[in-house]
Amino acid sequence: MPEEVKAQITGVVFQVVTKSGDRVQGGDPIVVLESMKMEIPVEAPRPGTVIEVKVKEGETVQEGDTVALLD
Amino acid sequence: MGMKELVEDLRARRRRLHQLGGPEAVAKQHAAGKLTARERLDLLFDPSTFVEIGLHATHQSTSPIMAGRDTPADGVITGFGKVDGRPVSAIAYDFTVMAGSMGRTGETKCARIRELALTKRIPLVWFIDSAGARIQEATGSWFSGSGYLFREESIMSGVVPLVAAMMGPGAAGTAYIPGLADFVPMVKGTSHMALGGPPLVKAVVGEDVTPDELGGSKVHCELSGVGDLEVLDDRSCVEAIRAYLSYLPSSNLEAPPLVPCDDPVDRMEEELLTIVPDNPRRAYDMKRVITHIVDGGRFFELKPGWARNLIIGLARMGGRSMGIVANQPLVMGGVLDVNAADKAARFILLCDAFNIPLLFLQDVPGFMVGSKVEREGIIRHGAKMLYAVSEATVPKVTVIVRKAYGAGYYVMCGRAYEPDLIVAWPTAEISVMGPEGATNIIFRKEIQAAPDPEGERARRVEEFRKLINPYIAAGAAFVDDIIDPRETRPVVIRALEMANGKRVERPWKKHGVMPV
C-alpha cells in the first residue's frame, strides 16, 4: 500500500532531491521546501522506495499536500 | 475481645484489604502488563514512608445493584509518603475493584487527600486506571451532587504540583483530572483517555473507534498535546514522576531544590562551535545546544512528540532547576505555529507558578503566516505566549543563537520582556523580518521602476542584510553582550546566581484576561 508523504508546512518547493525508483531511509529528505526563509526538508516517514514525486521545483504546496508516494 | 485479639482482628482485616480486588483480579491486572495500585505506590514512595488513609473504606450504597458487592478501600488507594525525602500525597485508582470506578466513598477519600495536599502545601500524584464514574451507584440525577474534584483541582493549580499519570483507562470523570494537571505521563499500550469511551462514542455519534485510536498515548502525546510524555511501562512511568518532581518545589511558597552540582560551572564545550551551520537557511538540532550547556547533559523534555518545532523541558544549571524554552530549527524551520505557542505558554506559566527560572534559546524565523494559521487563531495563540512571558516574574535569561525575527523575538523573551540577561551568539540575526520580505515592502516602488527589477531587488536585499548584525543591537545596548558560544553555560549560570533574589511588583488585579 503506497504511503502519501505530505508537506507539514506551506511553502515553495526549493529542491527535489529524489526521483521515482530511489531507495530512501526513514528521515531522508524527499524534497526540500522553502518557507519562512528556511530550507525545510520533507522527510521519508520510513524506509521505502519513492514511487513518484508529485511536485516540481518552484511550485507552491499547502500544508497537508501530498508531495510524493512511497512504496 | 482483649487487645491481643483486637489487634489480630485488625491485622486480618488489613491482610484481606491489601489483596485489593482478590488474587484473580490482580492476576488479570498483571496479565494486562499493569502493576497494581499498591505496587505503583511502593515504587513512588521512599521505602516504608507511605501512610494510608481510608484502607477500611467501602461503598455505602443502598442501591440494589450494589447489594453484596465487596469494594476493598472502595477502589482507590489514598495516602501520603515521601519522594526523595519530601512529603507527597497520592490517589491511586485500583482497577481490580470494579474497574477502578469512582464510588462515592472513594471520592470522599480523594477529597480528603486534596484537602491535605492543599493545606499542607505538598504535591499530589494521581495514578489513573479507572473506568470513570461508578454509574451503579450514581445513576440518574444523583449526578447533581458530583463534580467537586475539578473545582478543587483548579484551586490547587499553581499552589502545589499536580501530576496525573495515565496507567490504564481514564474516561469522562477521570479524563479531566489530567486535563487540569501539570504533568501527564502516559503508559504506551495500556493507557487511554477520552471524555467519552468507545461504547458511548458509538451510541452518541455513531463512530466506530478503538480506545487506542480514540485516546491512546500516541494520540495525546503527538496530536492533542494533552499528554506530556509517552513511557514504556508502569515502572518507567513512576520513574518519570520522581524525576519530574525532583525539579519542583513542594509548593509555590518554596524555591525549587538546589542540588549539589559536580559539573563545572565554567565548562566550555568546544562542540558548541560546530552546531550552527554556516548557511543561515539550514536546520540543525537545538537539543544538541541544550545538552551541552545543562548540568551533566541531563534534559527532562516535556511534550517531546507534540509541536516539535518548539522544545520545552526541565534541567539544572549549577544545581538550580531551570525551565528551557527553545526553538527547534530541525522541525518546520523552528517557526512558531498555534500548537508551539500553546505549548510554550503553558510551560512558562508552570515554571513561573513554581519559581523555576526560565532560559530561552532563540532561533526563530517568526510566527507562521497564511490563511490556514489565521483560521486556527494564530493571533490568539501567539498572544497567549506574549501574555505568559510578560506575566512571568521568575529569573529569565535569553540567548539568541541565530534567528530572532518579528514577534518570534518578542515571545522568546526579547529585550522588552524583562530578561535578566540577554546575550547573542555572533551568528544572531535580529530583525523585524528577513531581508527579502522587508525589501519587497520598503522598496516595492523602486524595484518596479528600476530598468532591471531583479538586479535592483538583489542589491537592496544585500544592503538590508548588512543591517542585520548583532553588533548593531549590542551597540544600542539592547543586547547585553555578544558571547562566544562556548561561554553559554558559564554566562547563563552567573546570570541565574545574580537573579536569584529577583522581586517584581505588579499592579493589583484579580487576574488578567488571559487569551486562552
PDB file of all heavy atoms in Angstrom, chain B residues 9-42:
ATOM      1  N   ASP B   9      -7.429  -9.171  64.915  1.00  0.00           N
ATOM      2  CA  ASP B   9      -8.552  -8.898  64.019  1.00  0.00           C
ATOM      3  C   ASP B   9      -8.183  -7.788  63.022  1.00  0.00           C
ATOM      4  O   ASP B   9      -8.447  -7.894  61.825  1.00  0.00           O
ATOM      5  CB  ASP B   9      -9.771  -8.495  64.863  1.00  0.00           C
ATOM      6  CG  ASP B   9     -10.927  -8.015  64.000  1.00  0.00           C
ATOM      7  OD1 ASP B   9     -11.329  -8.757  63.092  1.00  0.00           O
ATOM      8  OD2 ASP B   9     -11.401  -6.874  64.212  1.00  0.00           O
ATOM      9  N   LEU B  10      -7.538  -6.731  63.546  1.00  0.00           N
ATOM     10  CA  LEU B  10      -7.108  -5.619  62.692  1.00  0.00           C
ATOM     11  C   LEU B  10      -6.148  -6.123  61.616  1.00  0.00           C
ATOM     12  O   LEU B  10      -6.271  -5.791  60.429  1.00  0.00           O
ATOM     13  CB  LEU B  10      -6.434  -4.533  63.546  1.00  0.00           C
ATOM     14  CG  LEU B  10      -5.689  -3.431  62.787  1.00  0.00           C
ATOM     15  CD1 LEU B  10      -6.631  -2.621  61.907  1.00  0.00           C
ATOM     16  CD2 LEU B  10      -4.956  -2.506  63.756  1.00  0.00           C
ATOM     17  N   ARG B  11      -5.183  -6.952  62.037  1.00  0.00           N
ATOM     18  CA  ARG B  11      -4.189  -7.443  61.083  1.00  0.00           C
ATOM     19  C   ARG B  11      -4.836  -8.317  60.011  1.00  0.00           C
ATOM     20  O   ARG B  11      -4.458  -8.250  58.842  1.00  0.00           O
ATOM     21  CB  ARG B  11      -3.080  -8.203  61.818  1.00  0.00           C
ATOM     22  CG  ARG B  11      -2.253  -7.283  62.716  1.00  0.00           C
ATOM     23  CD  ARG B  11      -1.352  -8.087  63.637  1.00  0.00           C
ATOM     24  NE  ARG B  11      -0.288  -8.740  62.889  1.00  0.00           N
ATOM     25  CZ  ARG B  11       0.914  -8.207  62.711  1.00  0.00           C
ATOM     26  NH1 ARG B  11       1.199  -7.033  63.228  1.00  0.00           N
ATOM     27  NH2 ARG B  11       1.821  -8.840  62.024  1.00  0.00           N
ATOM     28  N   ALA B  12      -5.821  -9.083  60.430  1.00  0.00           N
ATOM     29  CA  ALA B  12      -6.529  -9.934  59.460  1.00  0.00           C
ATOM     30  C   ALA B  12      -7.286  -9.072  58.456  1.00  0.00           C
ATOM     31  O   ALA B  12      -7.294  -9.344  57.247  1.00  0.00           O
ATOM     32  CB  ALA B  12      -7.483 -10.871  60.192  1.00  0.00           C
ATOM     33  N   ARG B  13      -7.914  -8.018  58.948  1.00  0.00           N
ATOM     34  CA  ARG B  13      -8.630  -7.110  58.046  1.00  0.00           C
ATOM     35  C   ARG B  13      -7.664  -6.483  57.042  1.00  0.00           C
ATOM     36  O   ARG B  13      -7.951  -6.386  55.848  1.00  0.00           O
ATOM     37  CB  ARG B  13      -9.304  -5.987  58.853  1.00  0.00           C
ATOM     38  CG  ARG B  13     -10.552  -6.418  59.607  1.00  0.00           C
ATOM     39  CD  ARG B  13     -10.972  -5.335  60.593  1.00  0.00           C
ATOM     40  NE  ARG B  13     -12.116  -5.754  61.398  1.00  0.00           N
ATOM     41  CZ  ARG B  13     -13.393  -5.449  61.089  1.00  0.00           C
ATOM     42  NH1 ARG B  13     -13.665  -4.720  60.040  1.00  0.00           N
ATOM     43  NH2 ARG B  13     -14.365  -5.880  61.857  1.00  0.00           N
ATOM     44  N   ARG B  14      -6.518  -6.044  57.573  1.00  0.00           N
ATOM     45  CA  ARG B  14      -5.532  -5.431  56.679  1.00  0.00           C
ATOM     46  C   ARG B  14      -5.060  -6.408  55.609  1.00  0.00           C
ATOM     47  O   ARG B  14      -4.952  -6.049  54.437  1.00  0.00           O
ATOM     48  CB  ARG B  14      -4.318  -4.948  57.479  1.00  0.00           C
ATOM     49  CG  ARG B  14      -4.554  -3.657  58.199  1.00  0.00           C
ATOM     50  CD  ARG B  14      -3.271  -3.212  58.871  1.00  0.00           C
ATOM     51  NE  ARG B  14      -3.458  -1.955  59.576  1.00  0.00           N
ATOM     52  CZ  ARG B  14      -2.565  -1.432  60.410  1.00  0.00           C
ATOM     53  NH1 ARG B  14      -1.442  -2.081  60.649  1.00  0.00           N
ATOM     54  NH2 ARG B  14      -2.799  -0.284  61.004  1.00  0.00           N
ATOM     55  N   ARG B  15      -4.768  -7.640  56.053  1.00  0.00           N
ATOM     56  CA  ARG B  15      -4.290  -8.646  55.092  1.00  0.00           C
ATOM     57  C   ARG B  15      -5.290  -8.812  53.952  1.00  0.00           C
ATOM     58  O   ARG B  15      -4.926  -8.868  52.791  1.00  0.00           O
ATOM     59  CB  ARG B  15      -4.070  -9.991  55.801  1.00  0.00           C
ATOM     60  CG  ARG B  15      -2.650 -10.190  56.342  1.00  0.00           C
ATOM     61  CD  ARG B  15      -2.376 -11.653  56.657  1.00  0.00           C
ATOM     62  NE  ARG B  15      -3.325 -12.228  57.592  1.00  0.00           N
ATOM     63  CZ  ARG B  15      -3.223 -12.131  58.937  1.00  0.00           C
ATOM     64  NH1 ARG B  15      -2.197 -11.480  59.472  1.00  0.00           N
ATOM     65  NH2 ARG B  15      -4.133 -12.672  59.714  1.00  0.00           N
ATOM     66  N   ARG B  16      -6.554  -8.890  54.321  1.00  0.00           N
ATOM     67  CA  ARG B  16      -7.583  -9.092  53.301  1.00  0.00           C
ATOM     68  C   ARG B  16      -7.667  -7.874  52.359  1.00  0.00           C
ATOM     69  O   ARG B  16      -7.686  -8.009  51.134  1.00  0.00           O
ATOM     70  CB  ARG B  16      -8.950  -9.324  53.956  1.00  0.00           C
ATOM     71  CG  ARG B  16     -10.054  -9.673  52.955  1.00  0.00           C
ATOM     72  CD  ARG B  16     -11.404  -9.837  53.624  1.00  0.00           C
ATOM     73  NE  ARG B  16     -11.968  -8.574  54.087  1.00  0.00           N
ATOM     74  CZ  ARG B  16     -12.623  -7.705  53.298  1.00  0.00           C
ATOM     75  NH1 ARG B  16     -12.771  -7.965  52.019  1.00  0.00           N
ATOM     76  NH2 ARG B  16     -13.112  -6.592  53.796  1.00  0.00           N
ATOM     77  N   LEU B  17      -7.649  -6.692  52.963  1.00  0.00           N
ATOM     78  CA  LEU B  17      -7.805  -5.479  52.144  1.00  0.00           C
ATOM     79  C   LEU B  17      -6.585  -5.234  51.246  1.00  0.00           C
ATOM     80  O   LEU B  17      -6.705  -4.679  50.157  1.00  0.00           O
ATOM     81  CB  LEU B  17      -8.068  -4.263  53.040  1.00  0.00           C
ATOM     82  CG  LEU B  17      -9.439  -4.323  53.729  1.00  0.00           C
ATOM     83  CD1 LEU B  17      -9.518  -3.297  54.856  1.00  0.00           C
ATOM     84  CD2 LEU B  17     -10.561  -4.094  52.730  1.00  0.00           C
ATOM     85  N   HIS B  18      -5.410  -5.650  51.725  1.00  0.00           N
ATOM     86  CA  HIS B  18      -4.198  -5.470  50.913  1.00  0.00           C
ATOM     87  C   HIS B  18      -4.219  -6.346  49.665  1.00  0.00           C
ATOM     88  O   HIS B  18      -3.435  -6.136  48.753  1.00  0.00           O
ATOM     89  CB  HIS B  18      -2.947  -5.766  51.751  1.00  0.00           C
ATOM     90  CG  HIS B  18      -2.613  -4.639  52.686  1.00  0.00           C
ATOM     91  ND1 HIS B  18      -1.721  -4.764  53.722  1.00  0.00           N
ATOM     92  CD2 HIS B  18      -3.067  -3.363  52.760  1.00  0.00           C
ATOM     93  CE1 HIS B  18      -1.640  -3.616  54.384  1.00  0.00           C
ATOM     94  NE2 HIS B  18      -2.452  -2.757  53.811  1.00  0.00           N
ATOM     95  N   GLN B  19      -5.138  -7.315  49.643  1.00  0.00           N
ATOM     96  CA  GLN B  19      -5.260  -8.156  48.441  1.00  0.00           C
ATOM     97  C   GLN B  19      -6.101  -7.490  47.349  1.00  0.00           C
ATOM     98  O   GLN B  19      -6.408  -8.111  46.333  1.00  0.00           O
ATOM     99  CB  GLN B  19      -5.867  -9.502  48.798  1.00  0.00           C
ATOM    100  CG  GLN B  19      -4.924 -10.351  49.616  1.00  0.00           C
ATOM    101  CD  GLN B  19      -5.545 -11.683  50.002  1.00  0.00           C
ATOM    102  OE1 GLN B  19      -6.550 -12.096  49.435  1.00  0.00           O
ATOM    103  NE2 GLN B  19      -4.953 -12.340  50.971  1.00  0.00           N
ATOM    104  N   LEU B  20      -6.488  -6.269  47.592  1.00  0.00           N
ATOM    105  CA  LEU B  20      -7.227  -5.473  46.598  1.00  0.00           C
ATOM    106  C   LEU B  20      -8.484  -6.223  46.162  1.00  0.00           C
ATOM    107  O   LEU B  20      -9.201  -6.738  47.014  1.00  0.00           O
ATOM    108  CB  LEU B  20      -6.306  -5.143  45.400  1.00  0.00           C
ATOM    109  CG  LEU B  20      -5.001  -4.452  45.785  1.00  0.00           C
ATOM    110  CD1 LEU B  20      -3.998  -4.493  44.652  1.00  0.00           C
ATOM    111  CD2 LEU B  20      -5.270  -3.016  46.212  1.00  0.00           C
ATOM    112  N   GLY B  21      -8.724  -6.318  44.873  1.00  0.00           N
ATOM    113  CA  GLY B  21      -9.935  -6.986  44.376  1.00  0.00           C
ATOM    114  C   GLY B  21      -9.831  -8.504  44.364  1.00  0.00           C
ATOM    115  O   GLY B  21     -10.678  -9.163  43.771  1.00  0.00           O
ATOM    116  N   GLY B  22      -8.780  -9.072  44.986  1.00  0.00           N
ATOM    117  CA  GLY B  22      -8.626 -10.520  45.052  1.00  0.00           C
ATOM    118  C   GLY B  22      -7.596 -11.030  44.066  1.00  0.00           C
ATOM    119  O   GLY B  22      -7.291 -10.356  43.068  1.00  0.00           O
ATOM    120  N   PRO B  23      -7.049 -12.241  44.342  1.00  0.00           N
ATOM    121  CA  PRO B  23      -5.943 -12.782  43.536  1.00  0.00           C
ATOM    122  C   PRO B  23      -6.265 -12.873  42.048  1.00  0.00           C
ATOM    123  O   PRO B  23      -5.404 -12.605  41.206  1.00  0.00           O
ATOM    124  CB  PRO B  23      -5.726 -14.181  44.112  1.00  0.00           C
ATOM    125  CG  PRO B  23      -6.401 -14.187  45.444  1.00  0.00           C
ATOM    126  CD  PRO B  23      -7.452 -13.128  45.436  1.00  0.00           C
ATOM    127  N   GLU B  24      -7.502 -13.207  41.732  1.00  0.00           N
ATOM    128  CA  GLU B  24      -7.859 -13.371  40.324  1.00  0.00           C
ATOM    129  C   GLU B  24      -7.785 -12.029  39.574  1.00  0.00           C
ATOM    130  O   GLU B  24      -7.212 -11.931  38.487  1.00  0.00           O
ATOM    131  CB  GLU B  24      -9.286 -13.923  40.246  1.00  0.00           C
ATOM    132  CG  GLU B  24      -9.549 -14.772  39.036  1.00  0.00           C
ATOM    133  CD  GLU B  24     -10.911 -15.441  39.157  1.00  0.00           C
ATOM    134  OE1 GLU B  24     -11.084 -16.300  40.064  1.00  0.00           O
ATOM    135  OE2 GLU B  24     -11.817 -15.057  38.390  1.00  0.00           O
ATOM    136  N   ALA B  25      -8.360 -11.001  40.206  1.00  0.00           N
ATOM    137  CA  ALA B  25      -8.346  -9.661  39.586  1.00  0.00           C
ATOM    138  C   ALA B  25      -6.923  -9.123  39.485  1.00  0.00           C
ATOM    139  O   ALA B  25      -6.556  -8.481  38.491  1.00  0.00           O
ATOM    140  CB  ALA B  25      -9.220  -8.710  40.401  1.00  0.00           C
ATOM    141  N   VAL B  26      -6.114  -9.418  40.509  1.00  0.00           N
ATOM    142  CA  VAL B  26      -4.714  -8.961  40.488  1.00  0.00           C
ATOM    143  C   VAL B  26      -3.954  -9.667  39.367  1.00  0.00           C
ATOM    144  O   VAL B  26      -3.176  -9.036  38.643  1.00  0.00           O
ATOM    145  CB  VAL B  26      -4.044  -9.186  41.871  1.00  0.00           C
ATOM    146  CG1 VAL B  26      -2.537  -9.006  41.778  1.00  0.00           C
ATOM    147  CG2 VAL B  26      -4.649  -8.241  42.908  1.00  0.00           C
ATOM    148  N   ALA B  27      -4.211 -10.957  39.187  1.00  0.00           N
ATOM    149  CA  ALA B  27      -3.545 -11.706  38.109  1.00  0.00           C
ATOM    150  C   ALA B  27      -3.922 -11.126  36.745  1.00  0.00           C
ATOM    151  O   ALA B  27      -3.089 -11.006  35.850  1.00  0.00           O
ATOM    152  CB  ALA B  27      -3.921 -13.182  38.181  1.00  0.00           C
ATOM    153  N   LYS B  28      -5.193 -10.745  36.610  1.00  0.00           N
ATOM    154  CA  LYS B  28      -5.643 -10.145  35.344  1.00  0.00           C
ATOM    155  C   LYS B  28      -4.945  -8.800  35.094  1.00  0.00           C
ATOM    156  O   LYS B  28      -4.555  -8.478  33.967  1.00  0.00           O
ATOM    157  CB  LYS B  28      -7.167  -9.909  35.383  1.00  0.00           C
ATOM    158  CG  LYS B  28      -7.949 -11.008  34.682  1.00  0.00           C
ATOM    159  CD  LYS B  28      -9.432 -10.825  34.848  1.00  0.00           C
ATOM    160  CE  LYS B  28     -10.077 -10.042  33.720  1.00  0.00           C
ATOM    161  NZ  LYS B  28     -11.554  -9.973  33.896  1.00  0.00           N
ATOM    162  N   GLN B  29      -4.804  -8.024  36.186  1.00  0.00           N
ATOM    163  CA  GLN B  29      -4.114  -6.738  36.099  1.00  0.00           C
ATOM    164  C   GLN B  29      -2.674  -6.943  35.609  1.00  0.00           C
ATOM    165  O   GLN B  29      -2.207  -6.256  34.707  1.00  0.00           O
ATOM    166  CB  GLN B  29      -4.124  -6.069  37.495  1.00  0.00           C
ATOM    167  CG  GLN B  29      -3.384  -4.746  37.596  1.00  0.00           C
ATOM    168  CD  GLN B  29      -4.199  -3.559  37.114  1.00  0.00           C
ATOM    169  OE1 GLN B  29      -5.312  -3.697  36.603  1.00  0.00           O
ATOM    170  NE2 GLN B  29      -3.637  -2.373  37.258  1.00  0.00           N
ATOM    171  N   HIS B  30      -1.993  -7.923  36.210  1.00  0.00           N
ATOM    172  CA  HIS B  30      -0.609  -8.204  35.811  1.00  0.00           C
ATOM    173  C   HIS B  30      -0.543  -8.720  34.373  1.00  0.00           C
ATOM    174  O   HIS B  30       0.352  -8.349  33.620  1.00  0.00           O
ATOM    175  CB  HIS B  30       0.012  -9.228  36.767  1.00  0.00           C
ATOM    176  CG  HIS B  30       0.352  -8.640  38.106  1.00  0.00           C
ATOM    177  ND1 HIS B  30       0.440  -9.402  39.243  1.00  0.00           N
ATOM    178  CD2 HIS B  30       0.594  -7.376  38.503  1.00  0.00           C
ATOM    179  CE1 HIS B  30       0.736  -8.624  40.280  1.00  0.00           C
ATOM    180  NE2 HIS B  30       0.831  -7.378  39.852  1.00  0.00           N
ATOM    181  N   ALA B  31      -1.523  -9.567  34.008  1.00  0.00           N
ATOM    182  CA  ALA B  31      -1.525 -10.122  32.650  1.00  0.00           C
ATOM    183  C   ALA B  31      -1.705  -9.021  31.604  1.00  0.00           C
ATOM    184  O   ALA B  31      -1.243  -9.142  30.469  1.00  0.00           O
ATOM    185  CB  ALA B  31      -2.626 -11.170  32.512  1.00  0.00           C
ATOM    186  N   ALA B  32      -2.366  -7.941  32.005  1.00  0.00           N
ATOM    187  CA  ALA B  32      -2.561  -6.811  31.082  1.00  0.00           C
ATOM    188  C   ALA B  32      -1.311  -5.937  30.992  1.00  0.00           C
ATOM    189  O   ALA B  32      -1.316  -4.890  30.342  1.00  0.00           O
ATOM    190  CB  ALA B  32      -3.757  -5.985  31.536  1.00  0.00           C
ATOM    191  N   GLY B  33      -0.244  -6.363  31.693  1.00  0.00           N
ATOM    192  CA  GLY B  33       1.002  -5.590  31.651  1.00  0.00           C
ATOM    193  C   GLY B  33       1.003  -4.416  32.618  1.00  0.00           C
ATOM    194  O   GLY B  33       1.816  -3.495  32.480  1.00  0.00           O
ATOM    195  N   LYS B  34       0.093  -4.452  33.588  1.00  0.00           N
ATOM    196  CA  LYS B  34      -0.013  -3.331  34.531  1.00  0.00           C
ATOM    197  C   LYS B  34       0.355  -3.780  35.945  1.00  0.00           C
ATOM    198  O   LYS B  34       0.110  -4.924  36.330  1.00  0.00           O
ATOM    199  CB  LYS B  34      -1.452  -2.789  34.549  1.00  0.00           C
ATOM    200  CG  LYS B  34      -1.940  -2.290  33.188  1.00  0.00           C
ATOM    201  CD  LYS B  34      -3.232  -1.488  33.301  1.00  0.00           C
ATOM    202  CE  LYS B  34      -4.430  -2.339  33.618  1.00  0.00           C
ATOM    203  NZ  LYS B  34      -5.691  -1.543  33.562  1.00  0.00           N
ATOM    204  N   LEU B  35       0.911  -2.869  36.709  1.00  0.00           N
ATOM    205  CA  LEU B  35       1.124  -3.125  38.130  1.00  0.00           C
ATOM    206  C   LEU B  35      -0.165  -2.775  38.864  1.00  0.00           C
ATOM    207  O   LEU B  35      -1.029  -2.066  38.331  1.00  0.00           O
ATOM    208  CB  LEU B  35       2.279  -2.270  38.666  1.00  0.00           C
ATOM    209  CG  LEU B  35       3.652  -2.535  38.048  1.00  0.00           C
ATOM    210  CD1 LEU B  35       4.681  -1.550  38.600  1.00  0.00           C
ATOM    211  CD2 LEU B  35       4.102  -3.967  38.344  1.00  0.00           C
ATOM    212  N   THR B  36      -0.278  -3.217  40.116  1.00  0.00           N
ATOM    213  CA  THR B  36      -1.461  -2.843  40.893  1.00  0.00           C
ATOM    214  C   THR B  36      -1.246  -1.461  41.507  1.00  0.00           C
ATOM    215  O   THR B  36      -0.117  -0.951  41.553  1.00  0.00           O
ATOM    216  CB  THR B  36      -1.722  -3.839  42.036  1.00  0.00           C
ATOM    217  OG1 THR B  36      -0.630  -3.749  42.958  1.00  0.00           O
ATOM    218  CG2 THR B  36      -1.866  -5.260  41.531  1.00  0.00           C
ATOM    219  N   ALA B  37      -2.328  -0.877  41.998  1.00  0.00           N
ATOM    220  CA  ALA B  37      -2.245   0.452  42.613  1.00  0.00           C
ATOM    221  C   ALA B  37      -1.225   0.448  43.752  1.00  0.00           C
ATOM    222  O   ALA B  37      -0.441   1.396  43.899  1.00  0.00           O
ATOM    223  CB  ALA B  37      -3.625   0.857  43.123  1.00  0.00           C
ATOM    224  N   ARG B  38      -1.204  -0.639  44.549  1.00  0.00           N
ATOM    225  CA  ARG B  38      -0.258  -0.687  45.680  1.00  0.00           C
ATOM    226  C   ARG B  38       1.181  -0.817  45.208  1.00  0.00           C
ATOM    227  O   ARG B  38       2.102  -0.226  45.776  1.00  0.00           O
ATOM    228  CB  ARG B  38      -0.609  -1.832  46.623  1.00  0.00           C
ATOM    229  CG  ARG B  38      -1.878  -1.568  47.397  1.00  0.00           C
ATOM    230  CD  ARG B  38      -2.135  -2.530  48.533  1.00  0.00           C
ATOM    231  NE  ARG B  38      -3.442  -2.209  49.101  1.00  0.00           N
ATOM    232  CZ  ARG B  38      -3.659  -1.220  49.961  1.00  0.00           C
ATOM    233  NH1 ARG B  38      -2.645  -0.495  50.392  1.00  0.00           N
ATOM    234  NH2 ARG B  38      -4.864  -0.958  50.389  1.00  0.00           N
ATOM    235  N   GLU B  39       1.396  -1.626  44.156  1.00  0.00           N
ATOM    236  CA  GLU B  39       2.761  -1.771  43.619  1.00  0.00           C
ATOM    237  C   GLU B  39       3.262  -0.433  43.067  1.00  0.00           C
ATOM    238  O   GLU B  39       4.441  -0.083  43.210  1.00  0.00           O
ATOM    239  CB  GLU B  39       2.773  -2.845  42.524  1.00  0.00           C
ATOM    240  CG  GLU B  39       2.609  -4.258  43.076  1.00  0.00           C
ATOM    241  CD  GLU B  39       2.225  -5.296  42.027  1.00  0.00           C
ATOM    242  OE1 GLU B  39       1.733  -4.917  40.927  1.00  0.00           O
ATOM    243  OE2 GLU B  39       2.385  -6.482  42.311  1.00  0.00           O
ATOM    244  N   ARG B  40       2.361   0.319  42.452  1.00  0.00           N
ATOM    245  CA  ARG B  40       2.747   1.634  41.916  1.00  0.00           C
ATOM    246  C   ARG B  40       3.137   2.581  43.047  1.00  0.00           C
ATOM    247  O   ARG B  40       4.121   3.317  42.942  1.00  0.00           O
ATOM    248  CB  ARG B  40       1.583   2.217  41.111  1.00  0.00           C
ATOM    249  CG  ARG B  40       1.331   1.481  39.805  1.00  0.00           C
ATOM    250  CD  ARG B  40      -0.019   1.804  39.214  1.00  0.00           C
ATOM    251  NE  ARG B  40      -0.210   1.117  37.932  1.00  0.00           N
ATOM    252  CZ  ARG B  40      -1.371   1.020  37.312  1.00  0.00           C
ATOM    253  NH1 ARG B  40      -2.467   1.565  37.846  1.00  0.00           N
ATOM    254  NH2 ARG B  40      -1.453   0.393  36.159  1.00  0.00           N
ATOM    255  N   LEU B  41       2.358   2.561  44.125  1.00  0.00           N
ATOM    256  CA  LEU B  41       2.664   3.440  45.261  1.00  0.00           C
ATOM    257  C   LEU B  41       3.993   3.043  45.905  1.00  0.00           C
ATOM    258  O   LEU B  41       4.774   3.903  46.327  1.00  0.00           O
ATOM    259  CB  LEU B  41       1.528   3.392  46.291  1.00  0.00           C
ATOM    260  CG  LEU B  41       0.226   4.060  45.828  1.00  0.00           C
ATOM    261  CD1 LEU B  41      -0.928   3.706  46.755  1.00  0.00           C
ATOM    262  CD2 LEU B  41       0.391   5.579  45.750  1.00  0.00           C
ATOM    263  N   ASP B  42       4.252   1.713  45.972  1.00  0.00           N
ATOM    264  CA  ASP B  42       5.529   1.247  46.528  1.00  0.00           C
ATOM    265  C   ASP B  42       6.701   1.800  45.731  1.00  0.00           C
ATOM    266  O   ASP B  42       7.743   2.128  46.289  1.00  0.00           O
ATOM    267  CB  ASP B  42       5.593  -0.289  46.501  1.00  0.00           C
ATOM    268  CG  ASP B  42       4.819  -0.907  47.658  1.00  0.00           C
ATOM    269  OD1 ASP B  42       4.458  -0.148  48.592  1.00  0.00           O
ATOM    270  OD2 ASP B  42       4.570  -2.127  47.624  1.00  0.00           O
TER     271      ASP B  42
END
